[in-house]
Amino acid sequence: MGETSEARGELDRLGRSLREQLVALITDLTPGADLRLLFLDEPSVADWHEPPRYHYSALFRGERPATVTAAETASRGAVLLRSAGWDVTASEVDDGGWLCSVVVAHRDGNHIRIRAGDHTSAVMFSGQTPALALRPPKPFQWPEPVRTPDTVTPGHVLCYECEGLGWCPGCGGRGWVPSEPHGLARCRECHGRRVCVICRGGGELAVSQLSDYQRGHYPGLA
């Protein structure tokens, strides 16, 4: 079950819309800004729960003209966004003892934020699209074991840790496990190495090399 063209097409449409609006704002409010620094070319994972959800997002710093105040910059940004059909909220917030003008706007699930303060010439622009799943959920299937009682090499025994699986028995060879709040976390058993840490992927252990401790897992050995 791969990526669906409909879902990717909708995400790309939202990304183009977001970029166009950010470009218009940056160009108007911070003239001369280098738009090559507006990195909004590929979506990134916003939520690792199955199925992963992706969004376009960007953070850009521009410089307002010295003759324009932070409040004027924010007010101009709000006017531009409202005229483009965005739902806009403007406010003033305390940013570490400095008063900043903030504009927040929403349209079609896209989100834009502009922040400007008179203590700095910097104007911060941020934006993101909604997070969309690009494929249906894919239930995890455990891999087939690399060794079974019928295929174990003579002079060997099935690994006591993974019982012949070869892959990490904690994560099934994924290197990660489901976890909250982000959806996944590195497997604590293999630490992302994916294979069983005892047999190192072989699924079996040589009897002649077993330690006394390891032999304790095989009471049937002479």
Side-chain angles (χ1 to χ4, degrees):
M1 293 185 293
E3 180 179 300
T4 65
S5 58
E6 294 83 2
R8 181 56 190 264
E10 174 63 8
L11 182 60
D12 288 345
R13 181 191 70 81
L14 291 167
R16 289 192 298 269
S17 174
L18 178 64
R19 182 181 180 86
E20 289 172 0
Q21 187 62 74
L22 283 172
V23 167
L25 289 169
I26 293 167
T27 301
D28 189 288
L29 302 180
T30 58
D34 187 353
L35 291 172
R36 293 175 299 177
L37 300 178
L38 178 60
F39 301 114
L40 197 65
D41 301 321
E42 288 293 329
S44 59
V45 177
D47 187 333
W48 284 102
H49 289 84
E50 176 63 29
R53 293 190 297 160
Y54 293 77
H55 69 172
Y56 283 93
S57 64
L59 180 65
F60 188 90
R61 172 178 172 146
E63 302 288 330
R64 59 182 171 82
T67 56
V68 181
T69 67
E72 290 170 339
T73 298
S75 177
R76 172 65 178 167
V79 169
L80 291 172
L81 287 164
R82 288 193 180 100
S83 65
W86 291 69
D87 293 326
V88 178
T89 301
S91 63
E92 291 187 336
V93 299
D94 186 300
D95 184 12
W98 299 100
L99 194 62
C100 292
S101 297
V102 176
V103 174
V104 177
H106 301 271
R107 188 184 71 182
D108 297 332
N110 282 350
H111 171 93
I112 285 178
R113 186 174 186 266
I114 304 170
R115 180 171 62 89
D118 283 329
H119 63 290
T120 175
S121 61
V123 180
M124 301 302 300
F125 302 86
S126 63
Q128 63 183 35
T129 68
L132 302 180
L134 300 184
R135 61 167 174 79
K138 184 179 181 180
F140 174 68
Q141 293 184 340
W142 283 80
E144 293 294 322
V146 299
R147 292 292 179 184
T148 68
D150 295 329
T151 63
V152 68
T153 303
H156 290 65
V157 288
L158 289 179
C159 173
Y160 62 85
E161 180 71 13
C162 68
E163 299 181 340
L165 182 66
W167 300 103
C168 172
C171 64
R174 292 173 290 182
W176 56 268
V177 293
S179 177
E180 299 299 336
H182 303 296
L184 60 82
R186 176 176 289 189
C187 176
R188 293 184 177 181
E189 291 194 33
C190 70
H191 300 285
R193 287 174 288 184
R194 303 180 61 197
V195 297
C196 173
V197 298
I198 301 299
C199 66
R200 300 182 181 179
E204 61 184 10
L205 300 169
V207 174
S208 62
Q209 297 178 10
L210 293 176
S211 67
D212 291 341
Y213 168 79
Q214 290 175 323
R215 282 181 174 271
H217 290 277
Y218 304 98
L221 287 179

